[in-house]
Amino acid sequence: MGVVDREDAWQRLGKESFDLVVIGGGVVGAGTALDAATRGLRVALVEARDLASGTSSRSSKLVHGGLRYLEQLEFSLVREALAERELMLTKLAPHLVRPVSFLYPLTHRVWERPYTAAGLFLYDTMGGARSVPGQKHLTRAGALRMVPALRRDSLVGGIRYYDAQVDDSRYTMMLARTAARYGAVVRTSTQVVDFLHEADRVSGVRVRDVEDGREVEVPAGAVVNCTGVWTDELQQLSGSRGRFRVRASKGVHVVVPRDRIVSESGMILRTESSVLFVIPWGNHWILGTTDSDWRLDLAHPAATKQDIDYILGEINAVLATPLTHDDIEGVYAGLRPLLAGESEETSKLSREHAVARVAPGLVAIAGGKYTTYRVMAADAVNAAAIDLPTRVQPSITDKVQLLGADGYHALVNQADRLAAQYGLHPYRLRHLLNRYGALVHELLALAENEPEWLRPLEHAPDYLRVEVAYAVSHEGALHLEDVLARRTRIAIEYPHRGVDCARQVAEIMAGILGWSGKTTESEVDTYVARVAAERDSQSQPDDEAADASRRAAPDVRPHLDALDLGKQR
């Protein structure tokens, strides 16, 4: 998925006919492309921006059954999600998905422990304890030993349980790369600007390269709309009436340094309307999330001061040493594509997914959650198969490992020897293995003629310079934002949010992408403007003001058609 592959993919889009065109490079779109490709179909995946540039890079980074859905009696949804979590942990992507523990603080005596324990017992027996430890009950003293940061009067005891964690944007990118390995044409910065029709059926799409403005028609047996919160807009563009509507719910997360909350475990805290997670993330904690209706710019949802104050207020209610705004390293906001229901409260809208054959040759899928992307993808391909002339094989993605998974466990055991071979600290090598898995050799091979690439970035030392080069040469990154916000997570992990290392990263990218000095300057300026706009939006009192601040930043892709930007939904 490098520069040469990108031009080859464009030529293939214009010359070949596909069984399936998938629109949307989030986790569901990438999963659908992989599902279809491994069933033997000719597949093209197109994404207007970058892989995981929307919801799929802005989640809580959890792969979980949805413990709180048990209270809503969504047993089938929880069971399905736990089965998928098991697959991801043990077979599909052990290099990207790993167990993470949570403390559930108990605040009421007598009734709460048996009530919560019963729910966690259901969680475990539905599949939650197959590849992670089961629940463990703790006294107040035991819970405080596990999480010394808690106020003594904030709990009467606790229960520890396990879920799993993932770097969401890297997982999505690896899904897309795996689909490409099995023959799918994957192309980012490629926007669908129209649909092709033959009589009453959809027969393909017209796409635009938003980097240079070229357009081409892509014929297909069927088209699958996997655009999440943009589902309604794409259905309108197709001229077809949708079978369901999608509501966007904004979820905000705050990132703080690990030493600000002294704890051996993550936490899940009850709030008045939902729950708040305190999630370990390397040298950081992720705190979130909010759940509020969003009707503004779908591309750049903005966090407000009110959102941030809410999160800090909820966590500070139980911490012995409160957090302040000065502790915040990063903030990000994402949009959940919820199926619109009768309730006006987004936290009560369905997390189930829906698939509809909107018109002959056009399928739409929306709703669901990150954990169940594989089930959603299989359902989408099954629905599209009706419009294909040949018999479509059953889904096999439960048996298909993502790139980097094969051999990962052996490499973990060999980490010390590999670190010595490449002149790296063993901790650094393990960090790379948990980002690239068995592809670590491919990554480090890039530094054979550029030994300085094995040095850390000056203002983001958790990442090596070679990771920037690899993001461009193998992972499809085209812009500075792609690297700082998604291939790495520098944009949320450092207080400077990538600004201090933007020039160094851009100069590495320039050498591979052939940027001129002017282009390099433009990339840096655009990224700095993006961060400034986000910071300003996070000081605003409400969504409208925050949205106006965030939209002040220019878009890095010059020929992107503002399909929904700036419109009220």
Side-chain angles (χ1 to χ4, degrees):
M1 290 173 58
V3 182
V4 176
D5 298 324
R6 178 172 171 76
E7 183 56 33
D8 178 64
W10 181 259
Q11 296 302 321
R12 289 185 63 187
L13 289 177
K15 294 177 181 177
E16 298 181 17
S17 181
F18 297 90
D19 295 311
L20 218 61
V21 168
V22 180
I23 311 172
V27 70
V28 176
T32 300
L34 177 61
D35 186 275
T38 53
R39 295 198 202 191
L41 299 178
R42 298 165 298 171
V43 186
L45 167 67
V46 292
E47 160 60 41
R49 289 178 174 82
D50 183 31
L51 296 169
S53 59
T55 304
S56 294
S57 62
R58 305 175 192 180
S59 74
S60 297
K61 326 298 184 202
L62 293 178
V63 174
H64 62 121
L67 183 61
R68 66 193 177 103
Y69 302 148
L70 287 177
E71 285 190 313
Q72 301 169 10
L73 306 181
E74 301 266 14
F75 297 117
S76 61
L77 183 63
V78 174
R79 185 180 292 107
E80 178 181 80
L82 286 172
E84 292 304 306
R85 191 192 73 181
E86 170 81 4
L87 267 176
M88 294 163 79
L89 271 170
T90 61
K91 183 183 294 185
L92 304 185
H95 57 314
L96 300 174
V97 182
R98 53 196 55 86
V100 60
S101 73
F102 288 96
L103 174 71
Y104 187 105
L106 301 171
T107 57
H108 298 87
R109 298 186 185 277
V110 183
W111 67 267
E112 190 179 16
R113 187 181 292 276
Y115 174 79
T116 306
L120 286 167
F121 176 76
L122 271 176
Y123 203 62
D124 289 346
T125 54
M126 284 180 173
R130 288 178 190 158
S131 53
V132 299
Q135 62 175 293
K136 179 180 180 180
H137 287 250
L138 302 165
T139 63
R140 174 157 61 184
L144 289 171
R145 281 194 298 271
M146 181 176 288
V147 188
L150 289 175
R151 285 195 350 242
R152 183 173 178 80
D153 63 356
S154 69
L155 75 169
V156 298
I159 304 176
R160 185 195 67 185
Y161 76 99
Y162 277 79
D163 255 316
Q165 184 174 64
V166 64
D167 185 329
D168 49 6
S169 63
R170 289 202 61 77
Y171 192 98
T172 299
M173 181 272 300
M174 284 292 196
L175 261 182
R177 286 189 64 189
T178 306
R181 172 67 62 88
Y182 286 102
V185 175
V186 177
R187 201 169 193 278
T188 59
S189 282
T190 306
Q191 184 181 25
V192 171
V193 293
D194 202 359
F195 285 78
L196 309 181
H197 294 84
E198 290 181 1
D200 65 340
R201 72 181 304 276
V202 172
S203 59
V205 294
R206 184 171 185 83
V207 299
R208 175 186 301 149
D209 184 325
V210 298
E211 303 294 335
D212 59 24
R214 289 180 294 174
E215 294 190 6
V216 72
E217 292 186 351
V218 186
V223 176
V224 183
N225 178 2
C226 300
T227 55
V229 292
W230 282 276
T231 299
D232 295 350
E233 281 70 22
L234 264 292
Q235 287 184 170
Q236 186 176 358
L237 182 67
S238 74
S240 304
R241 183 179 178 183
R243 302 294 178 85
F244 50 78
R245 292 192 62 79
V246 173
R247 286 267 299 277
S249 167
K250 184 179 69 169
V252 173
H253 294 81
V254 170
V255 183
V256 299
R258 192 67 177 261
D259 62 6
R260 297 300 191 273
I261 302 175
V262 181
S263 176
E264 297 175 10
S265 171
M267 289 182 280
I268 178 172
L269 308 172
R270 278 196 172 275
T271 69
E272 279 191 22
S273 58
S274 186
V275 296
L276 184 82
F277 283 101
V278 179
I279 306 161
W281 180 258
N283 298 322
H284 320 270
W285 296 101
I286 294 176
L287 316 178
T289 179
T290 62
D291 201 348
S292 59
D293 200 20
W294 179 262
R295 298 180 181 274
L296 301 166
D297 184 355
L298 297 179
H300 306 296
T304 66
K305 184 177 184 298
Q306 183 180 23
D307 295 325
I308 297 168
D309 287 345
Y310 165 78
I311 292 172
L312 292 182
E314 292 293 340
I315 185 65
N316 284 341
V318 300
L319 291 183
T321 304
L323 297 171
T324 70
H325 282 267
D326 291 338
D327 293 320
I328 294 173
E329 295 176 302
V331 178
Y332 63 95
L335 299 177
R336 305 175 190 89
L338 304 181
L339 298 177
E342 294 179 1
S343 171
E344 287 300 307
E345 297 180 40
T346 60
S347 61
K348 295 181 180 178
L349 294 180
S350 177
R351 259 63 172 184
E352 299 248 22
H353 67 271
V355 182
R357 185 168 175 260
V358 179
L362 178 61
V363 168
I365 182 164
K369 51 191 283 193
Y370 199 104
T371 306
T372 56
Y373 80 89
R374 197 190 61 81
V375 177
M376 295 173 67
D379 288 349
V381 177
N382 288 342
I386 297 171
D387 290 300
L388 301 180
T390 58
R391 180 178 178 274
V392 177
Q393 298 295 321
S395 176
I396 60 163
T397 49
D398 59 334
K399 304 176 181 67
V400 178
Q401 291 183 302
L402 269 61
L403 290 180
D406 188 21
Y408 163 73
H409 293 295
L411 289 173
V412 170
N413 290 339
Q414 299 170 0
D416 289 350
R417 180 173 61 80
L418 289 172
Q421 176 185 335
Y422 288 107
L424 298 172
H425 192 282
Y427 172 82
R428 175 77 69 180
L429 200 284
R430 290 185 177 89
H431 176 72
L432 293 175
L433 284 172
N434 288 335
R435 285 171 51 76
Y436 303 92
L439 299 178
V440 70
H441 294 297
E442 187 176 77
L443 167 80
L444 295 173
L446 287 182
E448 287 181 1
N449 298 320
E450 302 279 357
E452 71 277 8
W453 280 359
L454 290 182
R455 293 167 56 195
L457 291 167
E458 288 179 8
H459 297 284
D462 285 342
Y463 298 94
L464 298 178
R465 301 174 192 195
V466 72
E467 296 185 75
V468 175
Y470 188 81
V472 177
S473 64
H474 289 73
E475 296 179 345
L478 297 175
H479 294 283
L480 189 53
E481 178 185 339
D482 301 346
V483 174
L484 294 174
R486 290 176 286 277
R487 304 305 184 277
T488 70
R489 307 320 294 268
I490 291 170
I492 63 171
E493 292 176 347
Y494 290 88
H496 59 75
R497 306 193 186 181
V499 169
D500 290 359
C501 62
R503 185 166 301 281
Q504 184 180 29
V505 171
E507 288 172 353
I508 295 172
M509 296 178 70
I512 301 169
L513 290 169
W515 287 348
S516 65
K518 182 179 179 181
T519 300
T520 304
E521 287 296 323
S522 176
E523 284 282 333
V524 173
D525 291 346
T526 301
Y527 184 79
V528 170
R530 168 192 184 269
V531 172
E534 287 187 348
R535 286 188 186 278
D536 187 57
S537 70
Q538 290 156 17
S539 67
Q540 301 300 323
D542 54 46
D543 283 347
E544 287 73 17
D547 179 65
S549 293
R550 178 59 185 87
R551 273 202 247 153
D555 199 302
V556 73
R557 290 171 168 82
H559 296 278
L560 192 65
D561 185 10
L563 185 64
D564 74 296
L565 305 188
K567 293 195 314 186
Q568 295 287 322
R569 301 195 76 212

